[in-house]
Amino acid sequence: TYYFTLGSERMRTFGYQKSKLEKEYILTKENSFGGTLCKVILSNFKLGDRLTLAEIKETLKNLYKENNINSSPKARILENYFNVKKTKVKNSEGKFVDGYELLSKKEN
């Protein structure tokens, strides 16, 4: 199972250690389309949203905590599920900061 999911190069990277392979396998499955992370992200972020990177990170942090996902929240993860446009967005203080506009969903 590890070989077909991770491939020989990634297995070699982890030194063929079962504990490391298991951890990487679980992360790969969670991040794949149809996995837990995919469902959580697609249900909580909507097309057309214009969000600051800080807002995205905070939202992901809360979602990961609620769903027991062991991964670090990064705004870039949205690029795996949505076609995004990097843009400037007003934050709560009225200043323009870096953010993303969610244009469309990516197909697996």
Side-chain angles (χ1 to χ4, degrees):
T1 304
Y2 299 141
Y3 182 81
F4 292 113
T5 303
L6 303 175
S8 62
E9 289 297 318
R10 285 177 67 192
M11 287 179 66
R12 186 176 326 136
T13 302
F14 295 107
Y16 302 99
Q17 294 179 2
K18 186 175 180 179
S19 60
K20 291 180 180 179
L21 291 174
E22 182 69 22
K23 185 176 179 180
E24 186 65 17
Y25 175 78
I26 290 169
L27 281 174
T28 302
K29 284 297 190 185
E30 285 179 350
N31 292 336
S32 67
F33 272 87
T36 306
L37 183 57
C38 178
K39 291 175 186 174
V40 167
I41 287 176
L42 292 177
S43 65
N44 287 283
F45 292 95
K46 305 296 179 222
L47 296 179
D49 284 352
R50 293 173 50 99
L51 305 162
T52 67
L53 298 180
E55 289 173 336
I56 295 169
K57 187 173 180 178
E58 187 62 32
T59 303
L60 287 173
K61 182 179 173 184
N62 294 333
L63 292 172
Y64 287 3
K65 191 174 183 180
E66 290 172 8
N67 293 286
N68 296 321
I69 297 172
N70 295 324
S71 186
S72 51
K74 296 178 182 159
R76 291 186 58 124
I77 194 80
L78 292 185
E79 293 177 12
N80 296 337
Y81 303 100
F82 294 98
N83 293 314
V84 299
K85 177 181 168 185
K86 293 180 182 178
T87 186
K88 296 288 186 179
V89 181
K90 279 190 180 181
N91 65 6
S92 59
E93 299 169 1
K95 295 181 182 179
F96 282 97
V97 295
D98 291 331
Y100 285 152
E101 180 178 358
L102 306 178
L103 301 175
S104 62
K105 290 182 184 178
K106 283 188 177 179
E107 299 299 320
N108 55 346

mmCIF file of all heavy atoms in Angstrom, residues 41-51 81-84 101-106:
data_model
loop_
_atom_site.group_PDB
_atom_site.id
_atom_site.type_symbol
_atom_site.label_atom_id
_atom_site.label_comp_id
_atom_site.label_asym_id
_atom_site.label_seq_id
_atom_site.Cartn_x
_atom_site.Cartn_y
_atom_site.Cartn_z
ATOM 1 N N ILE A 41 -12.159 21.675 3.637
ATOM 2 C CA ILE A 41 -11.831 22.920 2.934
ATOM 3 C C ILE A 41 -12.938 23.311 1.960
ATOM 4 O O ILE A 41 -13.377 24.459 1.936
ATOM 5 C CB ILE A 41 -10.472 22.789 2.219
ATOM 6 C CG1 ILE A 41 -9.360 22.814 3.267
ATOM 7 C CG2 ILE A 41 -10.281 23.907 1.198
ATOM 8 C CD1 ILE A 41 -7.982 22.607 2.720
ATOM 9 N N LEU A 42 -13.406 22.368 1.165
ATOM 10 C CA LEU A 42 -14.432 22.692 0.176
ATOM 11 C C LEU A 42 -15.759 23.094 0.807
ATOM 12 O O LEU A 42 -16.516 23.857 0.220
ATOM 13 C CB LEU A 42 -14.632 21.519 -0.787
ATOM 14 C CG LEU A 42 -13.451 21.221 -1.719
ATOM 15 C CD1 LEU A 42 -13.754 20.000 -2.576
ATOM 16 C CD2 LEU A 42 -13.094 22.410 -2.579
ATOM 17 N N SER A 43 -16.032 22.621 2.018
ATOM 18 C CA SER A 43 -17.289 22.987 2.657
ATOM 19 C C SER A 43 -17.206 24.319 3.415
ATOM 20 O O SER A 43 -18.233 24.904 3.741
ATOM 21 C CB SER A 43 -17.751 21.888 3.601
ATOM 22 O OG SER A 43 -16.850 21.745 4.671
ATOM 23 N N ASN A 44 -16.006 24.823 3.675
ATOM 24 C CA ASN A 44 -15.865 26.046 4.460
ATOM 25 C C ASN A 44 -15.367 27.257 3.691
ATOM 26 O O ASN A 44 -15.420 28.366 4.199
ATOM 27 C CB ASN A 44 -14.938 25.797 5.653
ATOM 28 C CG ASN A 44 -15.607 24.970 6.710
ATOM 29 O OD1 ASN A 44 -16.419 25.460 7.464
ATOM 30 N ND2 ASN A 44 -15.301 23.682 6.723
ATOM 31 N N PHE A 45 -14.884 27.055 2.478
ATOM 32 C CA PHE A 45 -14.446 28.169 1.644
ATOM 33 C C PHE A 45 -15.308 28.184 0.393
ATOM 34 O O PHE A 45 -15.538 27.149 -0.229
ATOM 35 C CB PHE A 45 -12.965 28.022 1.279
ATOM 36 C CG PHE A 45 -12.039 28.177 2.454
ATOM 37 C CD1 PHE A 45 -11.590 27.072 3.140
ATOM 38 C CD2 PHE A 45 -11.641 29.431 2.875
ATOM 39 C CE1 PHE A 45 -10.746 27.198 4.228
ATOM 40 C CE2 PHE A 45 -10.796 29.578 3.960
ATOM 41 C CZ PHE A 45 -10.348 28.463 4.641
ATOM 42 N N LYS A 46 -15.788 29.349 0.027
ATOM 43 C CA LYS A 46 -16.718 29.481 -1.095
ATOM 44 C C LYS A 46 -16.073 30.228 -2.257
ATOM 45 O O LYS A 46 -15.243 31.121 -2.058
ATOM 46 C CB LYS A 46 -17.981 30.242 -0.660
ATOM 47 C CG LYS A 46 -18.675 29.632 0.548
ATOM 48 C CD LYS A 46 -19.205 28.258 0.249
ATOM 49 C CE LYS A 46 -19.858 27.670 1.480
ATOM 50 N NZ LYS A 46 -19.558 26.287 1.689
ATOM 51 N N LEU A 47 -16.486 29.890 -3.461
ATOM 52 C CA LEU A 47 -15.996 30.574 -4.652
ATOM 53 C C LEU A 47 -16.333 32.055 -4.575
ATOM 54 O O LEU A 47 -17.407 32.432 -4.110
ATOM 55 C CB LEU A 47 -16.615 29.970 -5.909
ATOM 56 C CG LEU A 47 -16.256 28.519 -6.200
ATOM 57 C CD1 LEU A 47 -16.953 28.058 -7.464
ATOM 58 C CD2 LEU A 47 -14.769 28.336 -6.319
ATOM 59 N N GLY A 48 -15.408 32.884 -5.014
ATOM 60 C CA GLY A 48 -15.622 34.321 -4.998
ATOM 61 C C GLY A 48 -15.143 34.988 -3.718
ATOM 62 O O GLY A 48 -15.058 36.209 -3.660
ATOM 63 N N ASP A 49 -14.839 34.195 -2.687
ATOM 64 C CA ASP A 49 -14.335 34.770 -1.434
ATOM 65 C C ASP A 49 -13.022 35.493 -1.688
ATOM 66 O O ASP A 49 -12.176 35.032 -2.448
ATOM 67 C CB ASP A 49 -14.089 33.678 -0.382
ATOM 68 C CG ASP A 49 -15.356 33.167 0.257
ATOM 69 O OD1 ASP A 49 -16.418 33.756 0.003
ATOM 70 O OD2 ASP A 49 -15.267 32.181 1.010
ATOM 71 N N ARG A 50 -12.871 36.629 -1.046
ATOM 72 C CA ARG A 50 -11.617 37.384 -1.052
ATOM 73 C C ARG A 50 -11.161 37.447 0.407
ATOM 74 O O ARG A 50 -11.773 38.135 1.207
ATOM 75 C CB ARG A 50 -11.809 38.777 -1.635
ATOM 76 C CG ARG A 50 -12.138 38.772 -3.117
ATOM 77 C CD ARG A 50 -12.482 40.158 -3.642
ATOM 78 N NE ARG A 50 -11.523 41.166 -3.295
ATOM 79 C CZ ARG A 50 -10.550 41.625 -4.090
ATOM 80 N NH1 ARG A 50 -10.454 41.148 -5.309
ATOM 81 N NH2 ARG A 50 -9.729 42.563 -3.687
ATOM 82 N N LEU A 51 -10.110 36.705 0.706
ATOM 83 C CA LEU A 51 -9.669 36.555 2.088
ATOM 84 C C LEU A 51 -8.194 36.925 2.232
ATOM 85 O O LEU A 51 -7.395 36.661 1.337
ATOM 86 C CB LEU A 51 -9.853 35.100 2.531
ATOM 87 C CG LEU A 51 -11.250 34.524 2.377
ATOM 88 C CD1 LEU A 51 -11.204 33.007 2.432
ATOM 89 C CD2 LEU A 51 -12.146 35.066 3.460
ATOM 90 N N TYR A 81 -6.822 23.077 -3.995
ATOM 91 C CA TYR A 81 -8.238 22.792 -4.180
ATOM 92 C C TYR A 81 -8.969 23.843 -5.014
ATOM 93 O O TYR A 81 -10.042 23.576 -5.528
ATOM 94 C CB TYR A 81 -8.928 22.671 -2.816
ATOM 95 C CG TYR A 81 -8.275 21.615 -1.962
ATOM 96 C CD1 TYR A 81 -7.374 21.953 -0.968
ATOM 97 C CD2 TYR A 81 -8.534 20.273 -2.179
ATOM 98 C CE1 TYR A 81 -6.751 20.975 -0.199
ATOM 99 C CE2 TYR A 81 -7.922 19.286 -1.423
ATOM 100 C CZ TYR A 81 -7.026 19.652 -0.427
ATOM 101 O OH TYR A 81 -6.408 18.683 0.321
ATOM 102 N N PHE A 82 -8.398 25.043 -5.095
ATOM 103 C CA PHE A 82 -9.027 26.140 -5.839
ATOM 104 C C PHE A 82 -8.020 26.777 -6.781
ATOM 105 O O PHE A 82 -6.821 26.805 -6.503
ATOM 106 C CB PHE A 82 -9.514 27.240 -4.884
ATOM 107 C CG PHE A 82 -10.627 26.835 -3.965
ATOM 108 C CD1 PHE A 82 -10.370 26.450 -2.664
ATOM 109 C CD2 PHE A 82 -11.941 26.861 -4.397
ATOM 110 C CE1 PHE A 82 -11.389 26.083 -1.805
ATOM 111 C CE2 PHE A 82 -12.981 26.499 -3.539
ATOM 112 C CZ PHE A 82 -12.704 26.110 -2.243
ATOM 113 N N ASN A 83 -8.524 27.310 -7.887
ATOM 114 C CA ASN A 83 -7.727 28.221 -8.696
ATOM 115 C C ASN A 83 -7.845 29.566 -8.003
ATOM 116 O O ASN A 83 -8.951 30.059 -7.790
ATOM 117 C CB ASN A 83 -8.268 28.295 -10.127
ATOM 118 C CG ASN A 83 -8.080 26.990 -10.856
ATOM 119 O OD1 ASN A 83 -7.022 26.398 -10.819
ATOM 120 N ND2 ASN A 83 -9.138 26.523 -11.503
ATOM 121 N N VAL A 84 -6.710 30.119 -7.604
ATOM 122 C CA VAL A 84 -6.730 31.353 -6.834
ATOM 123 C C VAL A 84 -6.021 32.467 -7.583
ATOM 124 O O VAL A 84 -5.200 32.220 -8.456
ATOM 125 C CB VAL A 84 -6.066 31.164 -5.443
ATOM 126 C CG1 VAL A 84 -6.804 30.130 -4.628
ATOM 127 C CG2 VAL A 84 -4.604 30.822 -5.574
ATOM 128 N N GLU A 101 -8.163 35.468 -3.889
ATOM 129 C CA GLU A 101 -9.540 35.426 -4.355
ATOM 130 C C GLU A 101 -9.747 34.034 -4.932
ATOM 131 O O GLU A 101 -8.961 33.579 -5.769
ATOM 132 C CB GLU A 101 -9.789 36.484 -5.431
ATOM 133 C CG GLU A 101 -11.206 36.466 -5.942
ATOM 134 C CD GLU A 101 -11.479 37.545 -6.978
ATOM 135 O OE1 GLU A 101 -10.584 38.341 -7.284
ATOM 136 O OE2 GLU A 101 -12.611 37.563 -7.494
ATOM 137 N N LEU A 102 -10.778 33.354 -4.476
ATOM 138 C CA LEU A 102 -11.049 31.990 -4.928
ATOM 139 C C LEU A 102 -11.862 32.049 -6.213
ATOM 140 O O LEU A 102 -13.022 32.452 -6.202
ATOM 141 C CB LEU A 102 -11.796 31.208 -3.843
ATOM 142 C CG LEU A 102 -11.122 31.189 -2.469
ATOM 143 C CD1 LEU A 102 -11.970 30.430 -1.476
ATOM 144 C CD2 LEU A 102 -9.731 30.612 -2.558
ATOM 145 N N LEU A 103 -11.238 31.657 -7.315
ATOM 146 C CA LEU A 103 -11.859 31.788 -8.639
ATOM 147 C C LEU A 103 -12.717 30.594 -9.007
ATOM 148 O O LEU A 103 -13.854 30.754 -9.452
ATOM 149 C CB LEU A 103 -10.779 32.005 -9.693
ATOM 150 C CG LEU A 103 -9.899 33.235 -9.484
ATOM 151 C CD1 LEU A 103 -8.796 33.255 -10.551
ATOM 152 C CD2 LEU A 103 -10.723 34.501 -9.543
ATOM 153 N N SER A 104 -12.172 29.392 -8.886
ATOM 154 C CA SER A 104 -12.910 28.183 -9.262
ATOM 155 C C SER A 104 -12.302 26.976 -8.556
ATOM 156 O O SER A 104 -11.164 27.032 -8.112
ATOM 157 C CB SER A 104 -12.900 27.973 -10.769
ATOM 158 O OG SER A 104 -11.568 27.785 -11.222
ATOM 159 N N LYS A 105 -13.080 25.909 -8.496
ATOM 160 C CA LYS A 105 -12.577 24.667 -7.894
ATOM 161 C C LYS A 105 -11.708 23.933 -8.913
ATOM 162 O O LYS A 105 -12.013 23.935 -10.097
ATOM 163 C CB LYS A 105 -13.739 23.753 -7.477
ATOM 164 C CG LYS A 105 -14.518 24.284 -6.304
ATOM 165 C CD LYS A 105 -15.613 23.303 -5.929
ATOM 166 C CE LYS A 105 -16.455 23.891 -4.810
ATOM 167 N NZ LYS A 105 -17.569 23.010 -4.440
ATOM 168 N N LYS A 106 -10.657 23.325 -8.404
ATOM 169 C CA LYS A 106 -9.823 22.496 -9.267
ATOM 170 C C LYS A 106 -10.427 21.107 -9.342
ATOM 171 O O LYS A 106 -11.014 20.615 -8.395
ATOM 172 C CB LYS A 106 -8.399 22.383 -8.705
ATOM 173 C CG LYS A 106 -7.560 23.604 -8.941
ATOM 174 C CD LYS A 106 -6.130 23.336 -8.543
ATOM 175 C CE LYS A 106 -5.268 24.540 -8.861
ATOM 176 N NZ LYS A 106 -3.881 24.306 -8.448
#
